[in-house]
Amino acid sequence: MKSYKVLWELIDGLLDFIYPRNIECILCGTAVEKTEKYSLCTACKCQIHFVNKECKKCGKPLEEMYLPDTCHDCMLTNHFFTAGYACVAYDEEIKKLIYRLKYGGQRYLAYHMAEMMAAKIRQKKLEQIDWIIPVPLHINKKRQRGFNQSEIIGQYISRQMGWPLDRENLIRIKDTATQNKLSKEERKINMKNAFQILDPSKIKAKKILLIDDIYTTGSTLDSCSKELLRAGAKDIYVITFAAGKNL
Ligand SMILES: [Zn+2]
Ligand SMILES: [Zn+2]
């Protein structure tokens, strides 16, 4: 465990050297003070829609004027997870930011996303988690992209919260088509039996925190949660960096 921590500090130091943190705003690139939170300039911080009013089930942002405490989706669908949380509303700027991490290889962005997610976890007073589990990519996709962004975010959250990370037990066995062009129903079918738990004994009676970058319809996270429940998980929480309003 100790050597793992030392290794992380080394990698972290190296990353800090390659991508100096808190120098440029991660959204617009203007100079920021070292003390500026999340490496965001004041203007961008004001522009980002941080989730304050949210669906109590899935964590999706709700409009100010919307009265119920759950979103329309959650009124119609039962989720397999206990509760979900998200940091920011998914809009054009956030879309570009996630794209830069996933396809532009700007992995340092994951550090700041994880910072925001850890703040949300603390705000929601989520207690001791037994395993942080990032939503896995199929091996083919991971090879193609070179890394799994949720894993990197998960590693940073694990370090910030002091909770262990498991990135091997939950695997994706179906090389599913990209979800973003599919309807809600198609996504559900696409995700059916897409995941598998290799060692259920590690999951039994445990409190799990699933990590992903975006929450849209929740079909991916539901599919993972279903497998975890089948393996005997006690509670499953979900945290994503961004969540769509009406997706
Ligand atoms: Zn900015
Ligand atoms: Zn909801």
Side-chain angles (χ1 to χ4, degrees):
M1 194 68 195
K2 253 189 181 162
S3 58
Y4 175 73
K5 260 197 161 168
V6 171
L7 183 69
W8 252 114
E9 264 149 35
L10 264 169
I11 293 171
D12 209 29
L14 198 66
L15 275 179
D16 220 10
F17 180 71
I18 303 167
Y19 301 108
R21 284 178 196 143
N22 293 60
I23 285 187
E24 279 183 357
C25 171
I26 54 169
L27 276 184
C28 71
T30 56
V32 292
E33 293 292 323
K34 261 268 181 205
T35 50
E36 207 77 76
K37 242 181 165 182
Y38 314 133
S39 199
L40 282 167
C41 74
T42 315
C44 287
K45 225 175 261 162
C46 291
Q47 224 180 13
I48 289 183
H49 177 172
F50 286 100
V51 180
N52 289 316
K53 190 184 169 190
E54 63 224 295
C55 168
K56 71 166 190 202
K57 183 71 194 176
C58 74
K60 261 197 298 198
L62 298 175
E63 298 289 348
E64 270 315 308
M65 300 299 282
Y66 183 86
L67 290 177
D69 58 4
T70 46
C71 72
H72 190 67
D73 264 0
C74 288
M75 282 182 196
L76 303 169
T77 324
N78 259 330
H79 291 296
F80 290 100
F81 50 83
T82 308
Y85 310 107
C87 301
V88 299
Y90 189 64
D91 58 18
E92 276 309 309
E93 286 306 310
I94 296 300
K95 189 178 174 181
K96 279 185 226 158
L97 192 71
I98 295 175
Y99 192 91
R100 279 165 52 205
L101 165 66
K102 272 162 110 162
Y103 306 105
Q106 297 182 17
R107 300 187 198 193
Y108 71 99
L109 294 173
Y111 175 86
H112 299 293
M113 291 177 187
E115 265 188 313
M116 290 181 232
M117 289 158 90
K120 191 80 190 185
I121 292 166
R122 288 190 192 105
Q123 185 203 331
K124 292 292 167 190
K125 298 189 168 56
L126 207 58
E127 283 170 14
Q128 183 67 38
I129 290 288
D130 296 306
W131 289 118
I132 290 180
I133 301 186
V135 169
L137 289 179
H138 188 272
I139 187 77
N140 292 347
K141 201 176 253 176
K142 196 176 171 185
R143 271 196 202 129
Q144 199 181 10
R145 195 177 296 164
F147 63 94
N148 174 0
Q149 72 285 351
S150 301
E151 246 177 46
I152 302 176
I153 296 172
Q155 279 166 341
Y156 284 126
I157 294 180
S158 166
R159 291 180 63 213
Q160 296 217 11
M161 302 307 298
W163 297 336
L165 176 91
D166 188 331
R167 48 182 178 169
E168 276 145 22
N169 204 358
L170 179 70
I171 58 161
R172 195 184 287 237
I173 48 172
K174 231 164 115 181
D175 192 5
T176 49
T178 303
Q179 298 265 85
N180 54 15
K181 287 188 182 75
L182 304 178
S183 72
K184 199 181 155 193
E185 272 318 299
E186 284 170 331
R187 280 172 194 242
K188 240 185 184 172
I189 296 164
N190 198 26
M191 274 300 136
K192 211 172 170 215
N193 303 321
F195 299 93
Q196 194 190 325
I197 309 262
L198 296 178
D199 182 0
S201 70
K202 278 175 86 181
I203 302 297
K204 202 171 185 319
K206 299 291 190 226
K207 213 168 144 186
I208 311 290
L209 178 65
L210 277 170
I211 311 279
D212 211 355
D213 50 353
I214 317 165
Y215 184 102
T216 44
T217 64
S219 59
T220 307
L221 288 151
D222 260 330
S223 186
C224 291
S225 302
K226 202 174 163 186
E227 286 311 312
L228 289 164
L229 282 182
R230 204 181 281 171
K234 187 170 77 180
D235 268 317
I236 301 153
Y237 293 90
V238 160
I239 186 151
T240 57
F241 171 61
K245 268 187 201 164
N246 296 306
L247 289 160

